[in-house]
Amino acid sequence: MYSNRKVVQAIAFGLLIFPGYGAANEQGQEGTEQKCPKLSFDEVRARYKPALSQIGEAQIDRAIFWERMKEIANANEVFRFKARKKNKATGEVTFVEKEVAFHKNVVNSEHRAVINAIFDRWEATGGGHPKHLALLLGTASRETCGSFLSSVGEACGCTRTCGKDEYKDAPYGKKDKCGRAYFGRGLVQLTKKINYENVGENLGIPLGDYPNLAYEQPFSIMMLVDGVKGRWYAGKPLKTYLNDEASNWVLARESVNPNSPNKAATGYLACRFYDAIQPAYKKTAPAQDPSLCMKLKNP
């Protein structure tokens, strides 16, 4: 169970708490049968106006970062890795070769706006180790197919905006009696009802009742930055894998999705993002071997 202290922290970050949310929860818990929320999503969205207005100490020189990112994107580097694939019917495990690369449009204005907003949130919440910031960007890039759009949903694959309300390929993606489905949404592709409820409690929003709130960019950025920094998801602290001496980009993925068969892909993206963050970091940041990123492998 998450403490009320985290909800208070969320308020301090500039959130507007949903009027009547606590009362609605209590009402829904009466008796043995759960009641469906009465307000429509549009009504909730109209009342709920998320904001990321806090400004923290500037720790990343944006101009240096984007100049370096332009070089990385224009290098046309392709990272290939092997991933485990399990046959659901037979249980047989095989290995398939996959690849990932930076899209050149990672430096366009649309992507810049989202990445700069992630920087802003990271700085507003106290910053941290620059390698951890790189993992946040690698995670968001991988989970949204390189688009950095919070409107990406698992039910629609890599489509920029997901309009589907169900994902029948996974048990958690099927609609409940209230018409809600808890498939992956947003920059972290949050899945499963319990996770929506827990993250919603941390943010002080009715995410369990209205899962589409995860598509709202300010909330999605908080779910990424605050969630990974606050260990809302899984695994050991990031400093276990990423610190001044260690650059275990692949296993660091366990801080969000320990069951991912594509950890190497996220690790590669994070590693290359760090190559742009390191010279742009306004404090001392450890350098890394430029060849490291292409040597990464799945465990």
Side-chain angles (χ1 to χ4, degrees):
M1 178 63 67
Y2 291 84
S3 67
N4 289 330
R5 179 171 61 85
K6 292 186 177 179
V7 176
V8 174
Q9 290 174 336
I11 300 173
F13 291 154
L15 287 169
L16 301 178
I17 297 304
F18 176 60
Y21 172 46
N25 265 2
E26 292 173 4
Q27 185 180 34
Q29 293 173 354
E30 292 177 0
T32 58
E33 183 177 353
Q34 183 181 14
K35 295 182 180 180
C36 298
K38 294 181 179 180
L39 294 178
S40 69
F41 177 74
D42 287 339
E43 289 174 312
V44 172
R45 192 180 185 194
R47 292 189 185 189
Y48 218 156
K49 298 178 180 179
L52 293 173
S53 58
Q54 288 70 29
I55 302 298
E57 177 188 359
Q59 298 184 39
I60 303 296
D61 186 313
R62 307 315 200 247
I64 294 176
F65 171 82
W66 286 113
E67 185 62 32
R68 181 70 182 112
M69 278 306 307
K70 184 177 180 180
E71 295 174 3
I72 292 172
N74 287 335
N76 296 318
E77 183 177 78
V78 177
F79 174 71
R80 295 180 175 84
F81 64 100
K82 290 184 178 180
R84 294 165 60 92
K85 183 177 182 181
K86 186 176 182 179
N87 187 302
K88 294 181 180 180
T90 65
E92 181 184 3
V93 176
T94 56
F95 290 87
V96 296
E97 186 170 282
K98 296 185 177 183
E99 63 181 43
V100 66
F102 274 98
H103 299 285
K104 287 189 176 182
N105 61 8
V106 72
V107 297
N108 70 18
S109 59
E110 184 177 49
H111 291 75
R112 283 181 184 235
V114 178
I115 292 175
N116 283 336
I118 292 172
F119 285 160
D120 290 342
R121 185 61 182 172
W122 183 74
E123 292 170 343
T125 54
H129 201 288
K131 289 182 181 179
H132 300 178
L133 174 59
L135 182 74
L136 297 181
L137 297 184
T139 296
S141 177
R142 180 64 182 173
E143 295 289 11
T144 61
C145 306
S147 72
F148 280 92
L149 295 175
S150 60
S151 54
V152 171
E154 183 182 11
C156 303
C158 291
T159 303
R160 290 170 56 89
T161 300
C162 187
K164 295 183 179 179
D165 59 3
E166 190 168 27
Y167 178 59
K168 295 182 179 180
D169 289 351
Y172 58 75
K174 297 177 181 178
K175 289 191 289 188
D176 63 13
K177 69 170 189 175
C178 297
R180 303 167 301 192
Y182 300 94
F183 54 81
R185 293 175 175 86
L187 298 178
V188 296
Q189 289 295 287
L190 188 68
T191 61
K192 300 182 180 179
K193 182 177 181 180
I194 185 63
N195 293 327
Y196 273 84
E197 292 174 339
N198 288 341
V199 171
E201 185 172 349
N202 275 280
L203 293 178
I205 66 175
L207 194 59
D209 286 336
Y210 301 92
N212 279 346
L213 285 173
Y215 286 138
E216 301 295 312
Q217 182 174 295
F219 292 147
S220 193
I221 289 175
M222 290 179 185
M223 288 161 62
L224 173 69
V225 178
D226 301 45
V228 176
K229 291 177 73 171
R231 296 181 62 194
W232 296 354
Y233 304 116
K236 299 177 181 179
L238 272 182
K239 63 182 180 182
T240 305
Y241 311 107
L242 301 173
N243 53 56
D244 284 351
E245 290 75 35
S247 296
N248 197 332
W249 295 108
V250 177
L251 285 184
R253 172 66 172 153
E254 304 224 347
S255 64
V256 179
N257 187 353
N259 298 316
S260 171
N262 302 308
K263 292 184 178 71
T266 304
Y268 163 77
L269 294 169
C271 184
R272 279 290 179 245
F273 272 121
Y274 184 69
D275 283 342
I277 289 173
Q278 190 271 334
Y281 190 54
K282 294 189 175 183
K283 302 177 182 179
T284 303
Q288 70 177 4
D289 183 347
S291 67
L292 172 65
C293 302
M294 290 296 286
K295 296 177 181 179
L296 299 177
K297 296 180 180 179
N298 273 324

